[in-house]
Amino acid sequence: MRVLILGGTTEASALAKLLAGDSRFEATLSFAGRTAAPQSQPIATRVGGFGGADGLAQYIKEQAIEAVIDATHPYAPRISTNAVVACKRAGVALATLVRPAWKPEAGDKWQTAPTAVAAALAIGKEPRRVFLALGRQELHSFAAIAQHHYVARLIDQPVGARPHKLVLLQQRGPFDFDAELRLLKQHKIDVIVSRNSGGSATYAKIEAARMLRLPVIMITRPVKPTGYIVRTAEEAMAWLTHDRPNPSLRGV
């Protein structure tokens, strides 16, 4: 079976490993190209966009893809929308790997914001030391809020506008609790701005914030259309190895 994984997450990489060891599948893992040096994978990979839903549908047909797994980031709604539309046009089953969101626990001090711009404004007028746990595409939202000192952790160098008072840490997760605690203490962080990415790879910063009783401004997830929902790489594998139901085309 020819399978296309729309990747960029730890779950996509985990699924690639499962498929690599199974001779029933010929799988390709596709990256959008936002990370300059993605980690090596045990299956074929491609990098770059498809040219919207039409381009993705054409690729699916040309490559004789029989099933698509959307394992993109929770904050990448455009490719998920394209995947739903393209799979419907191509008549191919789609599963969407939906990583469960984090939920506040006792001791958490969360404030939610609908966008990065709203999160930047929510930091307040008084100068604060802010840890930005965001993608590099969001740094421009904080450039005009110049009174704060920012620390941002990214895989690649950012492009475009960025805050003037910025310490940039180029690191790739996962990150453990002790390391996150040291980081927050070392940089004397007053508040964290984070996306609700879910999963375990970057959750340690939330646990460290809870320990230090630091406020967290949590940017809520965008609504993404989905196919048949799976929660883990193992569930995606089970979906592939059984009769695949027609995709649910919610949100289209």
Side-chain angles (χ1 to χ4, degrees):
M1 179 191 300
R2 295 176 66 84
V3 179
L4 174 64
I5 306 170
L6 305 175
T9 60
T10 54
E11 291 85 357
S13 296
L15 178 57
K17 291 179 182 178
L18 292 175
L19 289 169
D22 195 319
S23 60
R24 294 173 294 176
F25 300 101
E26 182 181 348
T28 299
L29 176 55
S30 177
F31 295 102
R34 291 184 175 181
T35 300
Q39 291 179 311
S40 61
Q41 300 292 332
I43 62 174
T45 59
R46 69 174 301 279
V47 178
F50 292 94
D54 289 341
L56 178 55
Q58 182 178 350
Y59 178 89
I60 290 170
K61 292 177 181 178
E62 289 177 349
Q63 299 298 317
I65 300 297
E66 299 171 74
V68 177
I69 308 287
D70 175 10
T72 55
H73 196 273
Y75 288 78
R78 182 179 298 177
I79 183 61
S80 294
T81 300
N82 290 343
V84 168
V85 174
C87 287
K88 182 178 181 181
R89 290 177 182 172
V92 169
L94 169 69
T96 306
L97 206 159
V98 179
R99 185 190 296 167
W102 298 323
K103 295 182 179 180
E105 299 183 6
D108 285 332
K109 301 170 66 177
W110 287 15
Q111 175 183 351
T112 58
T115 64
V117 172
L121 295 173
I123 298 170
K125 295 182 179 180
E126 293 299 318
R128 305 177 83 180
R129 300 185 66 84
V130 185
F131 179 40
L132 298 177
L134 304 163
R136 62 177 177 165
Q137 291 84 9
E138 301 286 7
L139 283 186
H140 68 90
S141 300
F142 300 84
I145 316 296
Q147 69 269 32
H148 306 303
H149 287 79
Y150 297 95
V151 176
R153 182 171 59 203
L154 306 168
I155 296 175
D156 298 314
Q157 282 283 341
V159 295
R162 67 184 79 176
H164 176 66
K165 302 173 184 176
L166 174 67
V167 174
L168 181 63
L169 307 175
Q170 279 191 262
Q171 300 172 343
R172 189 192 296 267
F175 307 100
D176 63 38
F177 174 79
D178 290 338
E180 298 293 65
L181 202 60
R182 286 194 301 270
L183 182 149
L184 297 177
K185 289 180 177 179
Q186 176 185 346
H187 292 280
K188 299 179 181 179
I189 297 300
D190 298 312
V191 59
I192 296 174
V193 179
S194 176
R195 297 187 296 187
N196 194 333
S197 298
S200 60
T202 61
Y203 184 65
K205 66 176 177 288
I206 304 301
E207 296 175 308
R210 185 183 306 135
M211 172 68 73
L212 297 174
R213 300 198 60 78
L214 295 179
V216 176
I217 300 173
M218 191 69 75
I219 301 172
T220 53
R221 289 183 177 187
V223 176
K224 291 185 23 162
T226 65
Y228 181 85
I229 293 176
V230 294
R231 301 290 184 181
T232 65
E234 289 76 17
E235 286 186 16
M237 193 69 177
W239 177 79
L240 285 170
T241 54
H242 296 84
D243 291 336
R244 296 176 303 286
N246 291 326
S248 168
L249 300 179
R250 284 172 285 175
V252 176

